[in-house]
């Protein structure tokens, strides 16, 4: 004879194993830029400064990656190109402000878009970089925004 395990509230349900995500000690930076060469260059420079840099080639994949990695290996910052196809950098920046306000953003673009860069900082971005990057300026701004000091890791 079989007996069903039942309580007053209903059948007993086996508990599901808990997944505990441990915070990553690394400072992971997401670089979002449609230009492959510049995205790779930015990732290389960030790695040289001691960051763990990951690149995505558009705003949609960048936002998806941010959400996908958040539970186990969250990003601590984003380097974002303003002038991109598919979804523009300003739209990505607005999404970051609304849904991920704990992830600081540095926007970047060519000098001809300096007004957009300034508008992005007014809107919410922490800093901006003009392409092509000045290595020392990039180092200082990334250290200030992503670490909170004047010195890179």
């Amino acid at each position: 004879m079989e007996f069903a395990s039942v309580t007053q509230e209903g059948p007993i349900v086996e508990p599901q194993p808990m997944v505990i995500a441990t915070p990553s000690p690394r400072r992971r930076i997401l670089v979002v830029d449609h230009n492959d060469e510049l995205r790779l260059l930015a990732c290389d420079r960030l790695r040289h400064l001691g960051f763990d840099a990951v690149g995505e080639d558009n705003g949609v994949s960048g936002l998806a990656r941010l959400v996908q990695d958040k539970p186990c290996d969250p990003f601590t910052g984003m380097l974002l190109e303003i002038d991109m196809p598919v979804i523009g950098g300003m739209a990505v920046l607005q999404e970051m402000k609304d849904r991920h306000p704990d992830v600081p953003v540095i926007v970047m673009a060519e000098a001809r878009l300096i007004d957009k860069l300034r508008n992005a900082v007014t809107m919410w971005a922490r800093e901006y970089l003009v392409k092509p990057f000045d290595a020392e300026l990039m180092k200082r701004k990334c250290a200030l925004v992503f670490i909170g000091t004047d010195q890179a890791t």
Side-chain angles (χ1 to χ4, degrees):
M1 180 186 257
E2 290 185 39
F3 293 98
S5 192
V6 179
T7 64
Q8 290 180 343
E9 292 85 29
I12 295 176
V13 178
E14 290 293 320
Q16 297 295 318
M18 290 180 55
V19 176
I20 300 174
T22 56
S24 173
R26 300 173 297 155
R27 290 186 173 95
R28 294 185 76 216
I29 308 301
L30 180 59
V31 179
V32 182
D33 193 334
H34 67 286
N35 182 310
D36 294 339
E37 185 178 328
L38 292 176
R39 183 178 65 253
L40 293 172
L41 176 65
C43 286
D44 285 346
R45 286 197 179 168
L46 286 167
R47 286 186 196 107
H48 180 72
L49 296 174
F51 296 102
D52 179 15
V54 176
E56 288 293 337
D57 65 357
N58 67 68
V60 174
S61 65
L63 289 169
R65 180 70 177 267
L66 188 81
V67 171
Q68 174 187 335
D69 288 10
K70 190 172 187 172
C72 297
D73 205 7
F75 289 98
T76 55
M78 178 186 280
L79 193 57
L80 174 65
E81 167 62 45
I82 287 296
D83 189 31
M84 289 189 299
V86 183
I87 178 173
M90 293 300 274
V92 173
L93 185 62
Q94 184 64 53
E95 187 74 10
M96 293 298 295
K97 178 182 176 184
D98 293 345
R99 296 181 189 240
H100 308 283
D102 56 325
V103 179
V105 177
I106 296 176
V107 292
M108 57 185 175
E110 296 174 0
R112 66 182 174 80
L113 298 171
I114 191 71
D115 288 338
K116 274 191 171 184
L117 289 170
R118 289 179 179 146
N119 288 340
V121 171
T122 300
M123 178 180 160
W124 184 74
R126 295 270 189 93
E127 263 296 353
Y128 70 83
L129 290 168
V130 175
K131 294 178 181 180
F133 304 122
D134 172 88
E136 185 60 30
L137 189 59
M138 181 181 184
K139 175 183 175 180
R140 287 177 180 261
K141 288 188 176 189
C142 288
L144 182 64
V145 171
F146 300 142
I147 301 173
T149 68
D150 287 359
Q151 303 297 316
T153 60

